[in-house]
Amino acid sequence: MVASLFSEVSTIVEVHQLIIPTVLIPLTVISVGISVAASFVAGLFGIELKAEGPRKFLELLLKPRFILTAVVTNLCFWGGYKGYVYVKNMPSFLFNIERNNKNVSGKLPGIKYQNFPGRQNEFKRGAITHDKSNWNEVKLGKSWKFQSGGFRAAGDAGDTLFFGTKDGRIKEFNRKEQKVIREFYTGTFISPGPIVWNNRLYFGEGTHDTHHARIYSFNLENGQLESSFTTKGHTEGQPFIQSYNGKTLLFAPSGSDGLYALDAQTLKKVWHQNDGHLDSSVTFNNGKIYSGTGRERGDIKNNKTFAIAYDFNTGEKIWKREIPASSWMKPVIVDTDVCYVVGEIYFKSEIGGITCFNQESGVPTYSHRNLAPIASVPLNIDGDLVYSDIKGKICRLNMKTGKVNWCYETKTRGLSLSGVNYDQYRDVLVYASKDKGLFILHPDSGKVLVTWMPEKGDAKWETTFAAATAKEEGWYLWDMAGNLRLIKYLDSSFDEQISKSDKL
């Protein structure tokens, strides 16, 4: 018992011996740290502290007047930084845009601009019939290098293609001259694809950080800015123009500011709805406008996204349905349904697919699940849906049976957003991948007919988010590095079947 008690007392003494340095060491470190900090701050003001200087200086720092001054100073710095960010993410001033476009000339004689109200995603396969077994004759026809590249495919106005750039310009490329004939300046990243209507060029601008972005209308007859409309968000979704019951409206997606319907001639607001973040173009059918919303960058908590139908004339909400993930691309009409691609871009997710609703009632009718998000414009080709996901997989769905006809994995790396396109001139699917080149596929089987990559000595294949633009003379490819390429398919017997007379 005594031995046991002695042992416990000895243990207590040892513990106390350990506690003293354990407590004193961090206190000493803190004291030294405070002294060093005080000396450093004092040195910034040219003050030399004596032995008790740190303590007295800390007393000075803790005075209400000093604390108030420090708070106000920090608020000024914070406000200045926020002000810088605010101004940095604004679009260019209108007077600057008008000044930079002052010397833009009128159009070249003989140019006719076809209306291009927005990217087409409904197709009927025509009478083009040719042997797809031999597709070896695909080569680079011509290439151009520009200082700045772009994000979206060309606005196709017939003889002319319009390309937007990161440095805030629209390049007007004449197919007959095979050169850029004019440039239109705004100074802000032109992320959406341009559209053309009645000799006017329309486009938006910006990225997710941009605020108070505009929709612009340029007169193609004289090259001058005709009108603009300012939103509270960014306008990176492609605008869309439609006429219905004698009224022509331009529909402008504006990010967190929702959807605007504007008079196409004056850009005056007709109606405005905001049911969530809208970066996709809209679809029209039977007096209704269909749009889908997405989750913004940094939006971790709010996971609600919607498919919505609006009345064309009034903007009245006809129906609104929750969808499983963001819908970043233009919906597509399939028979009596309207179908939305879904999938996240800003969050890691395996949720992707297609969700369809009855156009009139909004009742769900069909759902297809994909293991990767879909962020490409869905194509309706003879009633079947064709899409590509962000991992570069291309699929064709039979909408009558609900089954997958085929899928092909291009095995691209990273985020692939370009989207598959249908070439009506050659009856093939065209896919500009992120890093594996250009794929040409048979629409019935999904078989790859040919792939194209630059040869040694040519400009290397750069990241492309823009879908290929199919024309009579070949495919135009536009990438983020400023490379514009014309890829040609050489088959004289096939060329004879192209009905248009102005082949280049």
Side-chain angles (χ1 to χ4, degrees):
M1 169 87 66
V2 175
S4 175
L5 181 60
F6 180 78
S7 176
E8 290 181 12
V9 170
S10 299
T11 301
I12 292 171
V13 171
E14 290 175 1
V15 169
H16 277 281
Q17 288 174 342
L18 290 172
I19 289 175
I20 291 172
T22 303
V23 173
L24 287 179
I25 288 173
L27 287 177
T28 302
V29 171
I30 292 171
S31 177
V32 171
I34 291 173
S35 297
V36 170
S39 299
F40 174 75
V41 174
L44 295 177
F45 295 94
I47 302 173
E48 185 178 349
L49 300 181
K50 295 182 180 179
E52 295 186 357
R55 181 179 62 79
K56 292 183 178 181
F57 190 70
L58 286 174
E59 290 176 359
L60 173 64
L61 292 178
L62 294 175
K63 287 185 178 181
R65 185 172 61 182
F66 191 93
I67 292 175
L68 179 61
T69 302
V71 169
V72 171
T73 302
N74 278 279
L75 286 175
C76 288
F77 278 115
W78 180 81
Y81 171 74
K82 285 294 184 180
Y84 165 75
V85 172
Y86 183 87
V87 173
K88 179 184 176 183
N89 291 323
M90 286 178 62
S92 298
F93 296 110
L94 280 175
F95 71 82
N96 187 44
I97 295 174
E98 291 171 349
R99 179 175 59 84
N100 277 277
N101 288 286
K102 186 176 181 180
N103 295 323
V104 177
S105 61
K107 71 173 185 178
L108 288 178
I111 292 183
K112 294 180 180 179
Y113 298 105
Q114 295 178 6
N115 285 340
F116 179 71
R119 182 176 169 184
Q120 181 182 354
N121 62 346
E122 297 178 51
F123 301 94
K124 293 290 184 183
R125 292 175 70 182
I128 295 294
T129 57
H130 61 102
D131 182 11
K132 297 187 180 70
S133 62
N134 182 15
W135 273 72
N136 295 323
E137 295 299 318
V138 174
K139 71 173 189 177
L140 176 65
K142 196 171 182 180
S143 65
W144 301 262
K145 176 67 176 177
F146 300 103
Q147 185 176 355
S148 181
F151 186 60
R152 293 295 185 196
D156 183 357
D159 290 343
T160 304
L161 302 176
F162 294 93
F163 296 92
T165 69
K166 292 183 294 183
D167 63 358
R169 300 173 190 275
I170 292 280
K171 297 183 182 295
E172 181 177 352
F173 180 87
N174 183 261
R175 292 171 49 224
K176 291 182 177 178
E177 297 285 336
Q178 287 284 280
K179 66 179 183 180
V180 171
I181 58 173
R182 285 191 297 188
E183 286 190 349
F184 304 90
Y185 173 89
T186 64
T188 304
F189 185 0
I190 300 173
S191 47
I195 64 173
V196 176
W197 189 266
N198 289 350
N199 289 325
R200 291 186 180 90
L201 173 68
Y202 299 89
F203 56 92
E205 62 187 354
T207 64
H208 267 60
D209 294 326
T210 308
H211 60 88
H212 291 86
R214 304 184 187 99
I215 292 289
Y216 299 96
S217 169
F218 278 81
N219 187 319
L220 290 174
E221 295 291 335
N222 58 32
Q224 299 304 300
L225 176 65
E226 191 167 78
S227 55
S228 65
F229 177 82
T230 302
T231 72
K232 294 179 182 177
H234 56 269
T235 52
E236 67 175 86
Q238 186 179 54
F240 173 73
I241 285 185
Q242 180 66 44
S243 295
Y244 178 67
N245 284 347
K247 183 184 292 186
T248 301
L249 298 182
L250 180 145
F251 297 90
S254 57
S256 59
D257 199 22
L259 177 66
Y260 286 91
L262 310 175
D263 181 277
Q265 185 169 352
T266 64
L267 293 191
K268 300 295 184 183
K269 184 178 78 171
V270 176
W271 56 261
H272 174 221
Q273 289 281 11
N274 193 347
D275 287 287
H277 194 105
L278 183 62
D279 280 348
S280 67
S281 187
V282 301
T283 292
F284 167 83
N285 198 41
N286 292 331
K288 300 179 184 64
I289 291 295
Y290 300 97
S291 71
T293 69
R295 295 172 63 190
E296 297 186 57
R297 185 174 60 192
D299 178 11
I300 300 296
K301 296 181 180 178
N302 178 23
N303 57 4
K304 288 190 179 285
T305 49
F306 300 97
I308 311 113
Y310 300 108
D311 180 86
F312 176 93
N313 291 306
T314 66
E316 178 185 354
K317 209 173 303 178
I318 298 171
W319 52 259
K320 179 179 178 180
R321 300 288 182 263
E322 187 174 354
I323 51 180
S326 297
S327 185
W328 295 116
M329 293 295 164
K330 179 179 181 176
V332 63
I333 301 298
V334 182
D335 196 17
T336 59
D337 294 341
V338 56
C339 298
Y340 297 75
V341 294
V342 297
E344 303 300 342
I345 296 176
Y346 298 106
F347 312 95
K348 188 175 181 180
S349 172
E350 290 187 347
I351 296 177
I354 293 175
T355 300
C356 301
F357 302 89
N358 180 273
Q359 293 180 49
E360 297 296 325
S361 65
V363 172
T365 56
Y366 172 79
S367 181
H368 166 72
R369 177 70 189 272
N370 190 65
L371 287 177
I374 301 176
S376 67
V377 174
L379 308 180
N380 175 351
I381 302 177
D382 284 347
D384 285 356
L385 281 186
V386 177
Y387 70 84
S388 56
D389 66 25
I390 65 171
K391 293 185 177 180
K393 182 175 73 172
I394 305 168
C395 295
R396 177 169 178 166
L397 307 178
N398 186 319
M399 297 301 288
K400 291 182 179 179
T401 65
K403 304 290 186 180
V404 178
N405 282 359
W406 55 261
C407 285
Y408 178 79
E409 301 270 4
T410 62
K411 298 180 181 179
T412 58
R413 292 178 295 177
L415 196 65
S416 185
L417 300 176
S418 68
V420 62
N421 203 5
Y422 177 64
D423 179 353
Q424 299 178 85
Y425 304 105
R426 298 162 189 84
D427 186 36
V428 291
L429 298 174
V430 188
Y431 180 70
S433 71
K434 185 172 183 292
D435 63 347
K436 302 290 186 184
L438 183 70
F439 289 79
I440 310 298
L441 298 92
H442 196 299
D444 290 329
S445 64
K447 176 185 176 182
V448 175
L449 302 173
V450 69
T451 59
W452 181 88
M453 282 285 281
E455 296 181 359
K456 188 176 181 180
D458 294 335
K460 70 176 184 176
W461 183 272
E462 298 280 358
T463 297
T464 176
F465 295 125
T469 300
K471 299 300 293 182
E472 294 93 331
E473 64 271 26
W475 306 291
Y476 287 94
L477 305 179
W478 178 230
D479 66 28
M480 292 292 284
N483 296 301
L484 174 62
R485 293 182 172 97
L486 170 59
I487 311 300
K488 290 193 171 186
Y489 167 52
L490 306 179
D491 186 337
S492 58
S493 62
F494 163 65
D495 284 345
E496 293 174 0
Q497 297 186 59
I498 297 179
S499 59
K500 293 191 176 182
S501 61
D502 61 340
K503 299 189 296 295
L504 301 179

